[in-house]
């Protein structure tokens, strides 16, 4: 009994509070959700295209990137993709699932690369959608799928700058938050890797928002046609891919190999020169990524931001007679660079880790960083 207050008054106030309790709880939940996950880290994923994990690629292609992660993060020495071709690998990266679950079987719409399969199995199960659902501000910049048509903004992305079609550097169209935008051949305005870096930094440094952010920067580099920025063209003269010294180099007509490998003609002088040219141009194109990554680090608080840096698949440089290609699950096409840094990796800072990791491990890692309690996928994928 409260002095000076009747029992009827107490009962009235109590019943009023109880009647409003569901509404109050709902409002509290919405306020907590709007504020975003507590103590969650900002997250950046950098995805390259067709970049192998040869030691010389690390040393010459992105030395600044390698140095940063070797001192501030971890380097995974045995990182592999489950399917060494662009669209299936990207579906696995986005969802953390194997090809037989996301059903993107190759780079065609008929077999799941964009279209209804992608809309049903990939987009709603992507890292972007899952993080958006728990209060992250999400942004995707660059190549999405090989057959993205620009007809919609996929679910899960608050800020969207998606490339229509496959990797190019000039003369392309992007869909910017629902509106298609044509670009030409002017380097300062149109060079796609630079456009991704600039827009990514703008998104990551946006003011007046309390939500943590998730940025997915997906570069065309170093996919053919290997267009380098003007300042890097002409570098690496005389450089040759180390694969020319591999036993598998120009090893053709082996009856024990896959039919496609058996069908390859021996590498002649002209094909060898083309292979070397492709190697040098890839290294040249990677310089924009290497320098651009430093600009990103200077723009964000990289000590509190979780960063994962990788590629969708590796690449051939003449192994088994295959020039500038991928697809078959030989080591150079399934082995990719995989680097990580941020609060989750601080206990292993500076480590070089030999544990085998896969591209399907990226999504569960991102969800763990974001402190998501959402149900895991059906795959045996693990956090890095």
């Amino acid at each position: 009994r409260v002095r000076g207050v009747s029992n009827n008054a107490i009962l009235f106030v109590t019943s009023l509070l109880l009647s409003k309790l569901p509404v109050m709880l709902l409002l509290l939940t919405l306020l907590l959700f709007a504020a975003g996950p507590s103590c969650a880290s900002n997250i950046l994923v950098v995805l390259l295209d067709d970049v192998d994990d040869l030691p010389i690629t690390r040393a010459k292609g992105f030395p600044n990137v390698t140095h940063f992660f070797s001192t501030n993060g971890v380097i995974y020495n045995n990182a592999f993709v489950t399917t060494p071709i662009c669209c299936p690998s990207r579906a696995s990266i986005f969802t953390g699932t194997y090809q037989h679950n996301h059903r993107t079987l190759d780079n065609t719409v008929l077999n799941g690369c964009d279209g209804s399969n992608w809309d049903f199995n990939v987009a709603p199960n992507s890292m972007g959608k899952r993080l958006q659902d728990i209060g992250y501000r999400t942004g995707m910049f660059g190549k999405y799928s090989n057959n993205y048509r620009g007809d919609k903004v996929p679910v899960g992305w608050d800020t969207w700058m998606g490339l229509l079609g496959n990797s190019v550097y000039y003369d392309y169209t992007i869909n910017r938050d629902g509106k298609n935008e044509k670009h030409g051949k002017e380097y300062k305005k149109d060079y796609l890797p630079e456009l991704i870096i600039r827009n990514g930094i703008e998104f990551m440094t946006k003011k007046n928002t309390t939500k943590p952010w998730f940025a997915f920067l997906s570069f065309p580099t170093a996919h053919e046609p290997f267009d380098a920025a003007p300042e890097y063209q002409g570098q690496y003269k005389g450089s040759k891919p180390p694969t020319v010294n591999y036993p598998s180099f120009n090893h053709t007509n082996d009856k024990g190999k896959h039919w496609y490998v058996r069908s390859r003609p021996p590498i002649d002088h002209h094909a060898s020169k083309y292979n070397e040219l492709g190697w040098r141009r890839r290294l040249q194109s990677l310089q924009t990524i290497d320098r651009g990554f430093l600009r990103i680090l200077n723009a964000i608080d990289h000590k509190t931001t979780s960063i994962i840096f990788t590629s969708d698949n590796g690449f051939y440089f003449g192994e088994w007679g295959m020039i500038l290609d991928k697809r078959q699950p030989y080591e150079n096409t399934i082995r990719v660079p995989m680097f990580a840094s941020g609060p989750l990796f601080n206990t292993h800072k500076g480590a070089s880790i030999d544990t085998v990791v896969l591209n399907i491990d990226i999504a569960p890692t991102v969800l763990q960083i974001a402190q998501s309690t959402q149900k895991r996928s059906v795959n045996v994928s693990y956090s890095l």
Side-chain angles (χ1 to χ4, degrees), residues 264-334:
R264 307 306 296 170
I267 298 174
D268 59 18
H269 174 75
H270 296 289
S272 179
K273 291 300 180 183
Y274 178 68
N275 192 47
E276 294 172 7
L277 176 63
W279 165 259
R280 290 191 293 272
R281 293 191 61 180
R282 283 164 54 83
L283 291 180
Q284 293 164 8
S285 68
L286 283 167
Q287 300 316 296
T288 295
I289 308 301
D290 195 50
R291 277 36 168 217
F293 187 72
L294 292 181
R295 287 159 50 198
I296 292 171
L297 294 178
N298 289 330
I300 65 175
D301 182 1
H302 64 78
K303 293 182 179 179
T304 60
T305 300
S306 298
I307 306 173
I308 298 175
F309 185 101
T310 190
S311 176
D312 59 357
N313 48 254
F315 215 54
Y316 286 123
F317 291 102
E319 305 96 310
W320 314 111
M322 307 288 287
I323 293 179
L324 309 182
D325 203 356
K326 58 262 186 178
R327 303 171 202 280
Q328 284 71 38
Y330 290 109
E331 185 169 1
N332 269 18
T333 65
I334 61 173

Side-chain angles (χ1 to χ4, degrees), residues 119-360:
D119 292 343
F120 181 77
N121 287 321
V122 179
N125 297 306
S126 72
M127 292 181 285
K129 181 65 169 68
R130 290 174 180 267
L131 266 63
Q132 186 187 63
D133 286 347
I134 61 170
Y136 268 75
R137 183 170 60 91
T138 60
M140 209 296 301
F141 305 87
K143 178 178 176 179
Y144 183 54
S145 76
N146 297 53
N147 293 296
Y148 174 61
R149 294 164 288 180
D151 54 336
K152 58 184 174 298
V153 175
V155 296
W157 303 103
D158 298 306
T159 300
W160 176 258
M161 194 192 85
L163 172 69
L164 273 64
N166 203 2
S167 289
V168 288
Y169 302 78
Y170 297 102
D171 283 333
Y172 57 85
T173 300
I174 61 169
N175 181 291
R176 187 185 294 274
D177 294 328
K179 295 183 179 180
N180 288 344
E181 178 181 294
K182 178 68 177 175
H183 284 260
K185 297 181 178 181
E186 186 179 335
Y187 168 68
K188 291 184 177 180
K189 184 173 66 174
D190 302 316
Y191 188 57
L192 183 56
E194 277 290 339
L195 192 70
I196 293 170
I197 293 168
R198 291 196 303 269
N199 283 265
I201 290 176
E202 181 181 351
F203 170 82
M204 291 182 282
T205 57
K206 183 179 180 180
K207 307 297 182 182
N208 303 321
T209 176
T210 58
K211 289 185 176 183
W213 51 258
F214 169 56
F216 195 96
L217 307 190
S218 180
F219 291 92
T221 318
H223 194 286
E224 198 172 12
F226 325 121
D227 289 334
E231 60 263 40
Y232 306 123
Q233 294 174 9
Q235 291 188 0
Y236 304 105
K237 289 183 178 179
S239 178
K240 296 181 180 182
T243 54
V244 296
N245 298 314
Y246 287 12
S248 60
F249 183 80
N250 206 14
H251 185 96
T252 59
N253 299 318
D254 189 326
K255 294 182 179 180
K257 301 301 178 185
H258 185 270
W259 69 267
Y260 187 70
V261 177
R262 294 197 311 268
S263 69
R264 307 306 296 170
I267 298 174
D268 59 18
H269 174 75
H270 296 289
S272 179
K273 291 300 180 183
Y274 178 68
N275 192 47
E276 294 172 7
L277 176 63
W279 165 259
R280 290 191 293 272
R281 293 191 61 180
R282 283 164 54 83
L283 291 180
Q284 293 164 8
S285 68
L286 283 167
Q287 300 316 296
T288 295
I289 308 301
D290 195 50
R291 277 36 168 217
F293 187 72
L294 292 181
R295 287 159 50 198
I296 292 171
L297 294 178
N298 289 330
I300 65 175
D301 182 1
H302 64 78
K303 293 182 179 179
T304 60
T305 300
S306 298
I307 306 173
I308 298 175
F309 185 101
T310 190
S311 176
D312 59 357
N313 48 254
F315 215 54
Y316 286 123
F317 291 102
E319 305 96 310
W320 314 111
M322 307 288 287
I323 293 179
L324 309 182
D325 203 356
K326 58 262 186 178
R327 303 171 202 280
Q328 284 71 38
Y330 290 109
E331 185 169 1
N332 269 18
T333 65
I334 61 173
R335 182 183 286 275
V336 293
M338 183 86 78
F339 312 142
S341 69
L344 186 67
F345 306 94
N346 279 343
T347 55
H348 301 288
K349 185 183 292 187
S352 183
I353 299 175
D354 291 329
T355 303
V356 172
V357 295
L358 303 174
N359 59 342
I360 60 170

